[in-house]
Amino acid sequence: MWPRVDGMRGLELGTPGELRASLNALVLDGRKTATTGLLAEYVEETEGMEFPGERLALLGDDGRRVATIEITGVETVPFRDVTWEHAAAEGEGDRSLEEWREGHRRFWEDIGTPVDEGTPLVCLRFRVVERP
């Protein structure tokens, strides 16, 4: 089960430390308006998928809310079908869809979950609606 903060599900981007701090900063700066997760994580954590209009607590390493985001779009697609529009909205500086794919493959492999072209992903779009 994912953490709950202030009555909302928590969203923890990346892994704790420098990566999470960097991703959260991109969200707060308005450059990151999308993220991608593995559908298998929802099954493993027995969590339902987000839905448009749902508000989530964006969390820092300490488990405290750094912002409230509102989901504006949810799509489940195989890894091979992630669009450049979605990848670019992640705001992480990728210059091409192939660069995005390489970076995400490497990230998931590093945390022990290799992906292939057919791996189901959850693509989220969001906007910041509140900063504590």
Side-chain angles (χ1 to χ4, degrees):
M1 183 174 250
W2 294 343
R4 298 322 197 245
V5 174
D6 299 331
M8 296 176 278
R9 287 197 279 182
L11 177 63
E12 297 172 304
L13 297 174
T15 52
E18 188 177 319
L19 178 58
R20 181 164 301 149
S22 172
L23 295 174
N24 284 351
L26 290 170
V27 170
L28 295 173
D29 288 346
R31 291 184 287 170
K32 182 173 182 62
T33 59
T35 194
T36 308
L38 299 167
L39 182 60
E41 290 177 346
Y42 290 79
V43 174
E44 181 180 314
E45 297 288 334
T46 63
E47 285 287 344
M49 288 206 322
E50 295 85 355
F51 54 88
E54 181 178 9
R55 292 188 173 197
L56 304 175
L58 180 65
L59 303 180
D61 285 343
D62 60 4
R64 292 186 185 188
R65 183 169 56 98
V66 299
T68 300
I69 62 168
E70 181 177 73
I71 300 299
T72 60
V74 180
E75 185 178 21
T76 304
V77 299
F79 184 81
R80 73 176 151 269
D81 291 344
V82 172
T83 65
W84 171 240
E85 177 185 37
H86 179 79
E90 286 201 5
E92 298 172 27
D94 296 310
R95 294 173 301 223
S96 69
L97 186 54
E98 188 52 40
E99 187 175 332
W100 179 91
R101 287 182 174 147
E102 288 174 17
H104 280 70
R105 270 194 192 105
R106 189 171 39 255
F107 171 77
W108 284 316
E109 285 174 13
D110 287 350
I111 63 168
T113 313
V115 299
D116 61 33
E117 292 298 303
T119 301
L121 303 179
V122 178
C123 297
L124 299 177
R125 297 291 299 243
F126 57 82
R127 66 186 182 96
V128 174
V129 294
E130 181 185 344
R131 298 172 192 232

